[in-house]
């Protein structure tokens, strides 16, 4: 019988739950005295539930990097610099860097993702087209799809509108400000980015404004009229063979190519209130191993270690997803992480969605975003 029990909280999708469940079983074979019990919360809760609240009840927490400013300010997590012992180049893109704040590392990357393109290969074949490499080619694809009563796709509900705006701004060469109190967005570039988003929606079904990342993938995998999405947080599991219509992932076709995508992914953190510190740190060390992250991939997960992304067996399982999007991930952008940013993220996403619905004018939107980013 286990003498130590750790409680963990992740988010509710097979990409998140299954990798931890199966890897934890292997961990417990190595550490029979430690039991790890994982719970899950919806994606919306994952994006906005304060980490300090989770740290009161859970020893291990799967979270994303916009929380780092709040984490550093609250001290709700335990720094793990001396535990992980891995350098940035061992991970894809800036995955490890995203969890550093005020000189300390607060989480281990266990899932890597950024906004990339996704297609339905059977529908692309029906149109006799290749994945677009930039926005001009995307528009041409949209025209061709519309002539065949098909659509492009995008998920722009709430925060996802903001993430696409971020990506376009960075791709256009004027990334949004990441420090509170400093200017948020170059007006001219912001107007161009919003114009591109509005233009994209002309090729998409109206429900696109209701979709988050998971819903976007579900719709593309089940409907037979959604050909291509230019920017969505990759769920590689939708490329697996057990899907009705496996999807395929591609580099971001931004206005200037594949740079500037807004990085996502998740990290594994330890609560500062954890009563069994050595057991929790042993679990973090275990999750930092390449063999463990390969196990994540065997069970629908998205590893963060570069060697896993280059693994041909893993790529074969996911339709080449990692190989075909690595260029985008290595050139991606880190969104703001300051303490208080998540309040801005929640409000800004809703505001951009409202603008795309025609409820807020462009000038009013940009004025409000600037004010919110300034903490006003």
């Amino acid at each position: 019988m286990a003498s130590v029990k750790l409680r963990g909280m992740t988010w509710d999708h097979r990409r998140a739950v299954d990798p931890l469940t199966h890897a934890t079983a292997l961990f417990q074979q190595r550490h029979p005295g430690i039991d790890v019990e994982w719970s899950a919360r919806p994606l919306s809760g994952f994006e906005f539930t304060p980490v300090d609240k989770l740290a009161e009840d859970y020893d291990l927490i799967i979270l994303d990097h916009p929380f780092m400013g709040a984490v550093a300010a609250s001290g709700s997590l335990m720094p793990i610099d001396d535990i992980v012992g891995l350098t940035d180049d061992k991970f894809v893109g800036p995955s490890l860097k995203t969890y550093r704040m005020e000189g300390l590392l607060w989480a281990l990357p266990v899932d890597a993702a950024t906004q990339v393109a996704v297609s339905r290969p059977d529908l692309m074949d029906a149109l006799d087209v290749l994945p677009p490499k930039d926005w001009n080619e995307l528009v041409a694809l949209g025209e061709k799809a519309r002539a065949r009563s098909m659509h492009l796709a995008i998920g722009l509900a709430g925060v996802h509108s903001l993430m696409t705006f971020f990506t376009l701004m960075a791709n256009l060469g004027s990334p949004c400000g990441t420090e509170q109190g400093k200017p948020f967005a170059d007006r001219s570039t912001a107007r161009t980015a919003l114009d591109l988003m509005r233009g994209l929606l002309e090729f998409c079904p109206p429900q696109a404004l209701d979709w988050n990342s998971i819903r976007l993938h579900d719709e593309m995998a089940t409907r037979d009229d959604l050909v291509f999405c230019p920017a969505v947080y990759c769920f590689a599991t939708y490329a697996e063979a057990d899907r009705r219509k496996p999807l395929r992932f591609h580099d971001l076709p931004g206005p200037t190519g594949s740079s500037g995508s807004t990085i996502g992914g998740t990290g594994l953190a330890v609560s500062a209130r954890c009563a069994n510190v050595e057991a929790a740190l042993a679990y973090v060390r275990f999750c930092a191993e390449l063999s463990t992250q390969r196990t994540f991939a065997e069970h629908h997960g998205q590893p963060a270690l570069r060697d896993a992304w280059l693994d041909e067996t893993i790529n074969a399982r996911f339709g080449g997803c990692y190989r075909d999007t690595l260029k985008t991930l290595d050139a991606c952008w880190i969104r703001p992480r300051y303490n208080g940013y998540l309040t801005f993220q929640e409000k800004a996403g809703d505001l951009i969605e409202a603008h795309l619905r025609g409820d807020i004018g462009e000038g009013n939107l940009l004025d409000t975003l600037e004010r919110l980013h300034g903490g006003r």
Side-chain angles (χ1 to χ4, degrees), residues 176-257:
C176 291
T178 58
E179 296 181 43
Q180 190 173 33
K182 293 190 176 181
F184 174 63
D186 173 75
R187 276 299 171 104
S188 176
T189 309
R191 291 183 184 279
T192 299
L194 291 170
D195 186 58
L196 291 172
M197 293 173 72
R198 292 189 299 263
L200 172 60
L201 282 172
E202 294 179 8
F203 298 106
C204 299
Q207 301 95 327
L209 287 164
D210 301 323
W211 296 341
N212 62 16
S213 296
I214 295 175
R215 183 68 182 276
L216 180 282
H217 286 82
D218 285 336
E219 294 290 337
M220 287 192 68
T222 55
R223 291 174 55 158
D224 292 321
D225 64 337
L226 300 176
V227 179
F228 186 89
C229 169
V232 66
Y233 283 104
C234 168
F235 280 66
T237 182
Y238 285 84
E240 293 186 78
D242 65 344
R243 295 291 178 177
R244 168 186 169 266
K245 294 287 185 179
L247 305 179
R248 289 293 178 266
F249 294 90
H250 318 277
D251 281 321
L252 175 79
T256 66

Side-chain angles (χ1 to χ4, degrees), residues 225-298:
D225 64 337
L226 300 176
V227 179
F228 186 89
C229 169
V232 66
Y233 283 104
C234 168
F235 280 66
T237 182
Y238 285 84
E240 293 186 78
D242 65 344
R243 295 291 178 177
R244 168 186 169 266
K245 294 287 185 179
L247 305 179
R248 289 293 178 266
F249 294 90
H250 318 277
D251 281 321
L252 175 79
T256 66
S258 59
S259 66
S261 177
T262 306
I263 191 171
T266 65
L268 170 65
V270 177
S271 169
R273 297 192 179 194
C274 179
N276 298 289
V277 174
E278 288 306 315
L281 296 181
Y283 189 81
V284 173
R285 291 190 195 97
F286 170 77
C287 289
E289 296 176 11
L290 178 59
S291 60
T292 303
Q293 297 218 359
R294 282 183 171 138
T295 297
F296 292 163
E298 292 170 5

Side-chain angles (χ1 to χ4, degrees), residues 81-110:
D81 302 72
D82 297 334
I83 304 306
V84 176
L86 295 176
T87 54
D88 286 29
D89 63 320
K90 297 297 182 182
F91 296 87
V92 289
S95 294
L96 189 64
K97 183 179 179 181
T98 63
Y99 297 103
R100 286 202 185 95
M101 180 64 69
E102 295 186 4
L104 296 172
L105 181 67
W106 300 98
L108 166 75
V110 292

